[in-house]
Structures are given as structure tokens and as C-alpha cells.
Amino acid sequence: MYLLTDRPPQLETPLNILRQDITPNEYFFVRWHLSQIVTKIDIDTFRLYINGDVDKQLTLSMNDLKTKFAPDSVIALAICSGNSRSTFSPKVPGSQWGNGAMGNAKWKGVRLKDILAMAGVKNGAINVSFQGMDKGALPGVPNFVKSLELSHAMDGEVLVAYEMNGEPIPMLNGYPLKLVVPGWYATYWVGSLNTVNVLADTFHGFWMDKAYQVAKNPALNESPDSLSKSTVPLTNINLHSIFVEPEPGDTVTVNKPRLVEGLAFNDGARIQKVEVSFDNGKTWMETKLNPELGKYSWRRWKCDWTPKTAGRYHLCVKATDEKGRTQPDKQWNRSGYARDFIEHLDVTVN
């Protein structure tokens, strides 16, 4: 793992690990916002609190979650909003992630809608907020609280997860409970979740109103001297595709077949095709897609390449989904969020 910061902990997954369809827990990327994370929990006394505009406030133990609700599971990609930030030009502030601030896992837990149904949501409620047990190092640091519209929270896809790849969620990834919001960036996947609050008004807080903002017009590319004056919270995962093999700096042998492989992903729309170019985008060829693992999982693509001459090659990859969306040639925003522009890879052939 590559350590970006230790307070709060931020760890990036090596690219070669992404050659596995399911990311092992011990190599799953780590991203916290507040430095005082939970390092020890007595699971017997831990409780999840359901408060706010509900008929009955709930205090749920881990045993309650496992015995009073039907379990559900989903294979879903968790991806940091700033994944691939280091590739933006001009450079932007923030942790300079490569392509490894993401991971694919099977999450098991309880449907959020079932928990809210037990509590009984009052008429007029419109929003639900979520808070974990991590804290800021100094007084006045805003608690990390995210929110969803009630309709989203009740859609049956949002999970309160207690397992990751068949094991308890690791401490560094949000033990004992993690909010799983398939198809949305992992800023909403609140770790060490212990408080859910149903609200009769839209939640307002630093991490929703100030942080993780993007241009209201999604087609707008900002520039350093022309920033959007109208912003909204970042939500859905943008369509993107990457290379996982070869890796940057690898050397390929002339006249010898070489596997070229990567991943494509988005907010849940079916990946229709992935194309690669070996001549800097002049010509494109369609790759072979592996079977789907689930609508919210990444999808692997592969092709064989036999370069006929030695030299320097400039590879590109782009994906297209069932909604007709594809990837732009360029993109820039002030925070380096939601990268979707075409991936490039320089390869030397000897």
C-alpha cells in the first residue's frame, strides 16, 4: 500500500492488485477525513442510533442488525472522489491519488430502508443524515456528516454493511458498520457509522454545503481563472476506464503478444464497450469485456497486443455505457474530483 498521509490515514492500493475482480480487504484503499479515527470498539456495547423524525427512536446492537433484519448483499465499487487527482493538469490541491483510491468488494448488511421502516418515518421527512465515530483533532473541526434524500435512502439499494468480502469490515475501512451507497462516490460511504438522523428539512453542514462541490452544469469544465459560481454536491460516479496492465514504466517485447487489461466503471449503467488505441487516439479497436459481476461493480476489459516495431507507443482507453455516455478528451475542476477524461499510457517496446 502507498501511504499518502497518516493523520488522517490515507492509503492507496497498488495497481497490480486491481487485476483481481474482488479487492482483498488487506489491500483495500483507506480514506478518512478526520484524524481521530476509531481504533478500538467493544462490539457488545456498540449501538447504532436511529433518531429524528421517526415514530420510534431505535438503539440497535450488532446482534439486532443480524437477527432482526433480512440480510442483503451487493458487489459494488467504492471509489474516492479524488481518485486519479494526480493526473489533472494544472495540478490541484488535495491528496495526489493515482488510480488506486478504489476497490471492488462484496458488501453484506441490512437494507437502510428496512431499518427506517422499523423506526417509522414521519410524514414530511425529506432527508437522512449519517455520522460516524471519527472526530477532529481540534475543537471546532466539523463532524463528518453526509446526507441523502429520503427517497434515495429508501430505494432498497443503500446498505448498512457489517461485512466486507465475507469478513467483518476492517477497522481502517470503517468497522463495525459502513454505509454503502452503490453508484455514488465513497464520500457518502460513512465509516464507523453509529448515528442516522431522519430530517424534516435538508441537512446543512460543511461536508455537504462546502466540501465535495462540483459545477452545477456537469458539462462545464472549469479553469484556474474561470471557476464556476454555481456548485452542487458531487454524487454519481462518472464513467471512466483505466489500464491495470501494462503499468507505467513497463517494457513490452516486439513481436510478442502482450495482454492489455483494465477496468471500466460508472454509476450503475451497463458498460457497452471499451476501446483502446495504440497510436494516441488515431485509430481504436474494441476490447473483450468480462462477464458482469453486478451493475455497481467495475467491469474488466482485455485485449491482446503484438507490437510489430520497437519504439515508444502512446496507448489510450475509453468506455461507452448504455446511456450513450463516453469519455471526454479533457477535464478540469478546482478539486480534481470525478475524473472521467480518457486515460493515457506510454509504453516502450524493445
Side-chain angles (χ1 to χ4, degrees):
M1 300 286 283
Y2 303 122
L3 179 66
L4 278 74
T5 62
D6 57 0
R7 293 189 68 193
Q10 297 186 86
L11 293 159
E12 181 170 348
T13 303
L15 200 58
N16 66 298
I17 300 297
L18 303 187
R19 296 173 191 169
Q20 303 176 59
D21 286 336
I22 300 297
T23 311
N25 289 3
E26 61 269 27
Y27 285 108
F28 212 90
F29 86 99
V30 173
R31 169 69 167 113
W32 291 89
H33 297 82
L34 305 180
S35 61
Q36 305 301 305
I37 68 168
V38 176
T39 58
K40 192 175 184 179
I41 292 176
D42 181 350
I43 201 62
D44 292 328
T45 60
F46 169 82
R47 296 293 184 267
L48 173 67
Y49 300 97
I50 314 298
N51 301 319
D53 272 32
V54 293
D55 296 327
K56 179 176 63 174
Q57 296 190 359
L58 302 179
T59 302
L60 300 171
S61 68
M62 185 63 73
N63 185 62
D64 290 334
L65 291 168
K66 292 183 176 180
T67 60
K68 295 183 178 181
F69 301 91
D72 199 6
S73 62
V74 63
I75 296 176
L77 170 69
I79 177 170
C80 177
S81 311
N83 192 47
S84 310
R85 178 180 286 126
S86 63
T87 63
F88 278 71
S89 181
K91 292 291 186 183
V92 298
S95 297
Q96 296 300 301
W97 297 102
N99 286 335
M102 65 176 183
N104 208 38
K106 183 176 182 179
W107 309 92
K108 179 181 177 180
V110 180
R111 289 181 292 267
L112 177 60
K113 77 167 187 176
D114 293 345
I115 297 174
L116 296 179
M118 177 180 279
V121 176
K122 290 183 177 180
N123 290 335
I126 62 170
N127 215 231
V128 186
S129 69
F130 308 89
Q131 183 174 338
M133 294 182 285
D134 49 326
K135 302 292 182 184
L138 299 172
V141 174
N143 290 329
F144 187 74
V145 185
K146 300 293 288 190
S147 68
L148 300 174
E149 292 184 359
L150 178 62
S151 58
H152 190 176
M154 294 290 285
D155 70 2
E157 294 190 323
V158 180
L159 286 184
V160 174
Y162 48 72
E163 282 187 12
M164 176 178 168
N165 296 331
E167 299 175 354
I169 296 170
M171 191 71 74
L172 278 175
N173 296 107
Y175 179 83
L177 296 177
K178 189 177 188 72
L179 189 71
V180 172
V181 188
W184 280 31
Y185 283 102
T187 178
Y188 291 91
W189 295 41
V190 177
S192 296
L193 177 70
N194 76 333
T195 304
V196 176
N197 200 21
V198 179
L199 304 167
D201 199 356
T202 299
F203 172 78
H204 292 287
F206 175 82
W207 299 100
M208 289 299 299
D209 294 345
K210 300 294 183 182
Y212 291 101
Q213 297 283 308
V214 291
K216 187 173 183 179
N217 179 359
L220 176 66
N221 260 326
E222 293 184 308
S223 64
D225 57 358
S226 180
L227 300 179
S228 175
K229 293 180 175 60
S230 180
T231 62
V232 294
L234 178 68
T235 56
N236 298 57
I237 298 170
N238 271 354
L239 176 65
H240 190 42
S241 54
I242 67 167
F243 295 96
V244 299
E245 187 174 1
E247 293 190 40
D250 281 0
T251 299
V252 174
T253 303
V254 69
N255 288 319
K256 184 177 180 180
R258 176 63 187 263
L259 174 67
V260 179
E261 176 184 347
L263 301 165
F265 46 87
N266 62 8
D267 58 3
R270 189 170 186 270
I271 301 295
Q272 288 287 89
K273 64 179 178 179
V274 176
E275 300 167 280
V276 295
S277 171
F278 299 99
D279 55 11
N280 199 22
K282 294 177 182 176
T283 60
W284 295 86
M285 63 170 284
E286 195 165 333
T287 67
K288 180 180 179 181
L289 295 174
N290 276 15
E292 293 179 335
L293 300 176
K295 66 181 290 187
Y296 293 114
S297 165
W298 59 35
R299 192 166 187 189
R300 192 168 304 278
W301 59 267
K302 296 180 179 181
C303 70
D304 289 321
W305 176 42
T306 305
K308 299 301 183 183
T309 58
R312 187 80 164 166
Y313 287 77
H314 196 73
L315 280 58
C316 312
V317 60
K318 63 180 180 180
T320 303
D321 67 22
E322 64 181 349
K323 294 183 177 180
R325 297 176 298 191
T326 189
Q327 297 180 235
D329 292 322
K330 60 183 180 179
Q331 173 201 22
W332 192 89
N333 60 68
R334 71 190 80 180
S335 300
Y337 288 151
R339 179 186 167 170
D340 64 359
F341 61 91
I342 291 173
E343 186 85 6
H344 297 263
L345 177 66
D346 288 326
V347 173
T348 299
V349 176
N350 291 332

